[in-house]
mmCIF file of all heavy atoms in Angstrom:
data_model
loop_
_atom_site.group_PDB
_atom_site.id
_atom_site.type_symbol
_atom_site.label_atom_id
_atom_site.label_comp_id
_atom_site.label_asym_id
_atom_site.label_seq_id
_atom_site.Cartn_x
_atom_site.Cartn_y
_atom_site.Cartn_z
ATOM 1 N N TYR A 1442 -34.666 0.512 51.982
ATOM 2 C CA TYR A 1442 -33.278 0.782 51.600
ATOM 3 C C TYR A 1442 -32.302 -0.247 52.172
ATOM 4 O O TYR A 1442 -31.427 -0.739 51.457
ATOM 5 C CB TYR A 1442 -32.861 2.182 52.044
ATOM 6 C CG TYR A 1442 -31.376 2.418 51.943
ATOM 7 C CD1 TYR A 1442 -30.772 2.644 50.709
ATOM 8 C CD2 TYR A 1442 -30.562 2.371 53.083
ATOM 9 C CE1 TYR A 1442 -29.402 2.832 50.607
ATOM 10 C CE2 TYR A 1442 -29.198 2.553 52.989
ATOM 11 C CZ TYR A 1442 -28.622 2.788 51.750
ATOM 12 O OH TYR A 1442 -27.274 2.956 51.659
ATOM 13 N N ILE A 1443 -32.422 -0.600 53.444
ATOM 14 C CA ILE A 1443 -31.428 -1.459 54.080
ATOM 15 C C ILE A 1443 -31.324 -2.805 53.388
ATOM 16 O O ILE A 1443 -30.221 -3.355 53.235
ATOM 17 C CB ILE A 1443 -31.734 -1.643 55.589
ATOM 18 C CG1 ILE A 1443 -30.598 -2.393 56.286
ATOM 19 C CG2 ILE A 1443 -33.072 -2.336 55.804
ATOM 20 C CD1 ILE A 1443 -29.277 -1.666 56.263
ATOM 21 N N TYR A 1444 -32.430 -3.345 52.887
ATOM 22 C CA TYR A 1444 -32.403 -4.657 52.227
ATOM 23 C C TYR A 1444 -31.730 -4.549 50.855
ATOM 24 O O TYR A 1444 -30.911 -5.398 50.477
ATOM 25 C CB TYR A 1444 -33.826 -5.210 52.077
ATOM 26 C CG TYR A 1444 -34.657 -5.027 53.316
ATOM 27 C CD1 TYR A 1444 -35.841 -4.267 53.303
ATOM 28 C CD2 TYR A 1444 -34.261 -5.576 54.533
ATOM 29 C CE1 TYR A 1444 -36.599 -4.087 54.449
ATOM 30 C CE2 TYR A 1444 -35.010 -5.396 55.689
ATOM 31 C CZ TYR A 1444 -36.175 -4.634 55.634
ATOM 32 O OH TYR A 1444 -36.912 -4.442 56.776
ATOM 33 N N HIS A 1445 -32.081 -3.498 50.119
ATOM 34 C CA HIS A 1445 -31.434 -3.252 48.826
ATOM 35 C C HIS A 1445 -29.938 -2.986 49.024
ATOM 36 O O HIS A 1445 -29.113 -3.429 48.220
ATOM 37 C CB HIS A 1445 -32.090 -2.057 48.125
ATOM 38 C CG HIS A 1445 -33.471 -2.339 47.617
ATOM 39 N ND1 HIS A 1445 -33.720 -2.884 46.374
ATOM 40 C CD2 HIS A 1445 -34.684 -2.168 48.197
ATOM 41 C CE1 HIS A 1445 -35.024 -3.024 46.199
ATOM 42 N NE2 HIS A 1445 -35.634 -2.598 47.293
ATOM 43 N N HIS A 1446 -29.617 -2.263 50.092
ATOM 44 C CA HIS A 1446 -28.215 -1.909 50.337
ATOM 45 C C HIS A 1446 -27.378 -3.155 50.617
ATOM 46 O O HIS A 1446 -26.239 -3.263 50.128
ATOM 47 C CB HIS A 1446 -28.129 -0.930 51.511
ATOM 48 C CG HIS A 1446 -26.751 -0.405 51.747
ATOM 49 N ND1 HIS A 1446 -26.062 0.345 50.810
ATOM 50 C CD2 HIS A 1446 -25.920 -0.528 52.819
ATOM 51 C CE1 HIS A 1446 -24.873 0.669 51.295
ATOM 52 N NE2 HIS A 1446 -24.762 0.147 52.506
ATOM 53 N N CYS A 1447 -27.898 -4.090 51.369
ATOM 54 C CA CYS A 1447 -27.163 -5.326 51.652
ATOM 55 C C CYS A 1447 -26.856 -6.088 50.364
ATOM 56 O O CYS A 1447 -25.701 -6.476 50.115
ATOM 57 C CB CYS A 1447 -27.969 -6.213 52.597
ATOM 58 S SG CYS A 1447 -28.083 -5.605 54.301
ATOM 59 N N ILE A 1448 -27.884 -6.284 49.541
ATOM 60 C CA ILE A 1448 -27.701 -7.019 48.286
ATOM 61 C C ILE A 1448 -26.749 -6.272 47.355
ATOM 62 O O ILE A 1448 -25.818 -6.868 46.788
ATOM 63 C CB ILE A 1448 -29.058 -7.259 47.590
ATOM 64 C CG1 ILE A 1448 -29.969 -8.130 48.456
ATOM 65 C CG2 ILE A 1448 -28.853 -7.875 46.209
ATOM 66 C CD1 ILE A 1448 -29.456 -9.529 48.711
ATOM 67 N N ALA A 1449 -26.973 -4.975 47.193
ATOM 68 C CA ALA A 1449 -26.152 -4.190 46.263
ATOM 69 C C ALA A 1449 -24.701 -4.120 46.714
ATOM 70 O O ALA A 1449 -23.779 -4.235 45.891
ATOM 71 C CB ALA A 1449 -26.733 -2.783 46.120
ATOM 72 N N THR A 1450 -24.464 -3.925 48.001
ATOM 73 C CA THR A 1450 -23.090 -3.854 48.499
ATOM 74 C C THR A 1450 -22.359 -5.163 48.230
ATOM 75 O O THR A 1450 -21.178 -5.169 47.843
ATOM 76 C CB THR A 1450 -23.068 -3.527 49.999
ATOM 77 O OG1 THR A 1450 -23.703 -2.263 50.225
ATOM 78 C CG2 THR A 1450 -21.639 -3.451 50.528
ATOM 79 N N GLY A 1451 -23.052 -6.287 48.405
ATOM 80 C CA GLY A 1451 -22.440 -7.574 48.101
ATOM 81 C C GLY A 1451 -22.079 -7.716 46.633
ATOM 82 O O GLY A 1451 -20.981 -8.182 46.291
ATOM 83 N N LEU A 1452 -22.965 -7.291 45.744
ATOM 84 C CA LEU A 1452 -22.708 -7.385 44.310
ATOM 85 C C LEU A 1452 -21.547 -6.482 43.894
ATOM 86 O O LEU A 1452 -20.660 -6.890 43.139
ATOM 87 C CB LEU A 1452 -23.963 -7.005 43.522
ATOM 88 C CG LEU A 1452 -25.163 -7.952 43.648
ATOM 89 C CD1 LEU A 1452 -26.351 -7.405 42.860
ATOM 90 C CD2 LEU A 1452 -24.808 -9.358 43.169
ATOM 91 N N ILE A 1453 -21.565 -5.246 44.383
ATOM 92 C CA ILE A 1453 -20.516 -4.292 44.003
ATOM 93 C C ILE A 1453 -19.161 -4.751 44.537
ATOM 94 O O ILE A 1453 -18.144 -4.678 43.840
ATOM 95 C CB ILE A 1453 -20.861 -2.882 44.518
ATOM 96 C CG1 ILE A 1453 -22.148 -2.376 43.866
ATOM 97 C CG2 ILE A 1453 -19.720 -1.903 44.229
ATOM 98 C CD1 ILE A 1453 -22.763 -1.163 44.550
ATOM 99 N N ALA A 1454 -19.141 -5.244 45.782
ATOM 100 C CA ALA A 1454 -17.886 -5.738 46.355
ATOM 101 C C ALA A 1454 -17.322 -6.889 45.529
ATOM 102 O O ALA A 1454 -16.112 -6.964 45.280
ATOM 103 C CB ALA A 1454 -18.113 -6.177 47.803
ATOM 104 N N ALA A 1455 -18.195 -7.790 45.074
ATOM 105 C CA ALA A 1455 -17.744 -8.918 44.260
ATOM 106 C C ALA A 1455 -17.202 -8.454 42.916
ATOM 107 O O ALA A 1455 -16.171 -8.945 42.442
ATOM 108 C CB ALA A 1455 -18.897 -9.908 44.056
ATOM 109 N N VAL A 1456 -17.879 -7.497 42.300
ATOM 110 C CA VAL A 1456 -17.446 -6.978 40.999
ATOM 111 C C VAL A 1456 -16.090 -6.283 41.116
ATOM 112 O O VAL A 1456 -15.206 -6.470 40.271
ATOM 113 C CB VAL A 1456 -18.510 -6.011 40.434
ATOM 114 C CG1 VAL A 1456 -17.934 -5.169 39.305
ATOM 115 C CG2 VAL A 1456 -19.720 -6.796 39.932
ATOM 116 N N ILE A 1457 -15.902 -5.479 42.165
ATOM 117 C CA ILE A 1457 -14.604 -4.820 42.376
ATOM 118 C C ILE A 1457 -13.517 -5.864 42.609
ATOM 119 O O ILE A 1457 -12.409 -5.764 42.065
ATOM 120 C CB ILE A 1457 -14.672 -3.838 43.553
ATOM 121 C CG1 ILE A 1457 -15.586 -2.656 43.221
ATOM 122 C CG2 ILE A 1457 -13.270 -3.328 43.911
ATOM 123 C CD1 ILE A 1457 -15.799 -1.688 44.376
ATOM 124 N N THR A 1458 -13.825 -6.874 43.419
ATOM 125 C CA THR A 1458 -12.856 -7.933 43.713
ATOM 126 C C THR A 1458 -12.462 -8.664 42.435
ATOM 127 O O THR A 1458 -11.289 -8.976 42.212
ATOM 128 C CB THR A 1458 -13.444 -8.922 44.729
ATOM 129 O OG1 THR A 1458 -13.861 -8.206 45.904
ATOM 130 C CG2 THR A 1458 -12.421 -9.965 45.139
ATOM 131 N N GLN A 1459 -13.441 -8.922 41.580
ATOM 132 C CA GLN A 1459 -13.157 -9.540 40.283
ATOM 133 C C GLN A 1459 -12.260 -8.641 39.445
ATOM 134 O O GLN A 1459 -11.291 -9.107 38.833
ATOM 135 C CB GLN A 1459 -14.465 -9.823 39.552
ATOM 136 C CG GLN A 1459 -14.286 -10.512 38.204
ATOM 137 C CD GLN A 1459 -15.590 -10.572 37.411
ATOM 138 O OE1 GLN A 1459 -16.242 -9.553 37.209
ATOM 139 N NE2 GLN A 1459 -15.977 -11.768 36.990
ATOM 140 N N LYS A 1460 -12.563 -7.358 39.412
ATOM 141 C CA LYS A 1460 -11.770 -6.406 38.625
ATOM 142 C C LYS A 1460 -10.337 -6.314 39.137
ATOM 143 O O LYS A 1460 -9.407 -6.102 38.347
ATOM 144 C CB LYS A 1460 -12.438 -5.026 38.672
ATOM 145 C CG LYS A 1460 -11.877 -4.023 37.674
ATOM 146 C CD LYS A 1460 -12.226 -4.410 36.257
ATOM 147 C CE LYS A 1460 -11.790 -3.339 35.252
ATOM 148 N NZ LYS A 1460 -12.071 -3.746 33.858
ATOM 149 N N LEU A 1461 -10.140 -6.497 40.429
ATOM 150 C CA LEU A 1461 -8.802 -6.455 41.023
ATOM 151 C C LEU A 1461 -8.004 -7.723 40.736
ATOM 152 O O LEU A 1461 -6.813 -7.789 41.043
ATOM 153 C CB LEU A 1461 -8.903 -6.237 42.530
ATOM 154 C CG LEU A 1461 -9.260 -4.806 42.988
ATOM 155 C CD1 LEU A 1461 -9.634 -4.796 44.461
ATOM 156 C CD2 LEU A 1461 -8.103 -3.846 42.711
ATOM 157 N N GLY A 1462 -8.665 -8.742 40.169
ATOM 158 C CA GLY A 1462 -7.943 -9.931 39.734
ATOM 159 C C GLY A 1462 -7.917 -11.089 40.711
ATOM 160 O O GLY A 1462 -7.142 -12.033 40.524
ATOM 161 N N TYR A 1463 -8.749 -11.055 41.745
ATOM 162 C CA TYR A 1463 -8.781 -12.166 42.695
ATOM 163 C C TYR A 1463 -9.467 -13.382 42.073
ATOM 164 O O TYR A 1463 -10.275 -13.254 41.167
ATOM 165 C CB TYR A 1463 -9.527 -11.758 43.968
ATOM 166 C CG TYR A 1463 -8.749 -10.808 44.861
ATOM 167 C CD1 TYR A 1463 -8.912 -9.427 44.746
ATOM 168 C CD2 TYR A 1463 -7.854 -11.294 45.818
ATOM 169 C CE1 TYR A 1463 -8.210 -8.554 45.560
ATOM 170 C CE2 TYR A 1463 -7.151 -10.421 46.636
ATOM 171 C CZ TYR A 1463 -7.332 -9.056 46.508
ATOM 172 O OH TYR A 1463 -6.632 -8.198 47.308
ATOM 173 N N GLU A 1464 -9.149 -14.557 42.634
ATOM 174 C CA GLU A 1464 -9.748 -15.792 42.108
ATOM 175 C C GLU A 1464 -11.192 -15.924 42.586
ATOM 176 O O GLU A 1464 -11.624 -15.266 43.519
ATOM 177 C CB GLU A 1464 -8.904 -17.016 42.503
ATOM 178 C CG GLU A 1464 -8.601 -17.149 43.983
ATOM 179 C CD GLU A 1464 -9.604 -18.025 44.683
ATOM 180 O OE1 GLU A 1464 -10.423 -18.670 43.980
ATOM 181 O OE2 GLU A 1464 -9.597 -18.069 45.921
ATOM 182 N N ARG A 1465 -11.926 -16.823 41.912
ATOM 183 C CA ARG A 1465 -13.374 -16.901 42.089
ATOM 184 C C ARG A 1465 -13.795 -17.169 43.537
ATOM 185 O O ARG A 1465 -14.779 -16.604 44.014
ATOM 186 C CB ARG A 1465 -13.960 -17.971 41.162
ATOM 187 C CG ARG A 1465 -15.485 -18.107 41.282
ATOM 188 C CD ARG A 1465 -16.063 -19.008 40.223
ATOM 189 N NE ARG A 1465 -17.480 -19.279 40.477
ATOM 190 C CZ ARG A 1465 -18.468 -18.433 40.166
ATOM 191 N NH1 ARG A 1465 -18.183 -17.275 39.594
ATOM 192 N NH2 ARG A 1465 -19.717 -18.743 40.433
ATOM 193 N N GLY A 1466 -13.055 -18.006 44.249
ATOM 194 C CA GLY A 1466 -13.423 -18.297 45.628
ATOM 195 C C GLY A 1466 -13.440 -17.050 46.493
ATOM 196 O O GLY A 1466 -14.354 -16.851 47.303
ATOM 197 N N ILE A 1467 -12.442 -16.200 46.331
ATOM 198 C CA ILE A 1467 -12.373 -14.945 47.091
ATOM 199 C C ILE A 1467 -13.476 -13.991 46.639
ATOM 200 O O ILE A 1467 -14.074 -13.275 47.463
ATOM 201 C CB ILE A 1467 -10.994 -14.282 46.921
ATOM 202 C CG1 ILE A 1467 -9.897 -15.182 47.500
ATOM 203 C CG2 ILE A 1467 -10.960 -12.914 47.604
ATOM 204 C CD1 ILE A 1467 -10.030 -15.453 48.987
ATOM 205 N N ILE A 1468 -13.766 -13.976 45.345
ATOM 206 C CA ILE A 1468 -14.832 -13.114 44.824
ATOM 207 C C ILE A 1468 -16.171 -13.466 45.476
ATOM 208 O O ILE A 1468 -16.914 -12.580 45.916
ATOM 209 C CB ILE A 1468 -14.930 -13.247 43.286
ATOM 210 C CG1 ILE A 1468 -13.671 -12.690 42.620
ATOM 211 C CG2 ILE A 1468 -16.175 -12.521 42.758
ATOM 212 C CD1 ILE A 1468 -13.566 -13.026 41.139
ATOM 213 N N ILE A 1469 -16.467 -14.766 45.568
ATOM 214 C CA ILE A 1469 -17.724 -15.198 46.195
ATOM 215 C C ILE A 1469 -17.728 -14.840 47.677
ATOM 216 O O ILE A 1469 -18.734 -14.341 48.212
ATOM 217 C CB ILE A 1469 -17.919 -16.711 45.993
ATOM 218 C CG1 ILE A 1469 -18.169 -17.009 44.511
ATOM 219 C CG2 ILE A 1469 -19.086 -17.225 46.841
ATOM 220 C CD1 ILE A 1469 -18.216 -18.483 44.178
ATOM 221 N N GLN A 1470 -16.615 -15.073 48.351
ATOM 222 C CA GLN A 1470 -16.509 -14.720 49.776
ATOM 223 C C GLN A 1470 -16.739 -13.223 49.990
ATOM 224 O O GLN A 1470 -17.445 -12.811 50.913
ATOM 225 C CB GLN A 1470 -15.135 -15.115 50.306
ATOM 226 C CG GLN A 1470 -14.944 -16.599 50.537
ATOM 227 C CD GLN A 1470 -15.373 -17.029 51.924
ATOM 228 O OE1 GLN A 1470 -15.071 -16.389 52.919
ATOM 229 N NE2 GLN A 1470 -16.099 -18.140 51.999
#
Side-chain angles (χ1 to χ4, degrees):
Y1442 168 76
I1443 187 63
Y1444 316 119
H1445 289 273
H1446 186 62
C1447 289
I1448 297 297
T1450 300
L1452 293 177
I1453 297 165
V1456 164
I1457 293 175
T1458 305
Q1459 182 189 53
K1460 192 69 174 177
L1461 285 167
Y1463 287 93
E1464 53 94 10
R1465 180 171 172 80
I1467 297 298
I1468 294 169
I1469 292 173
Q1470 285 272 316

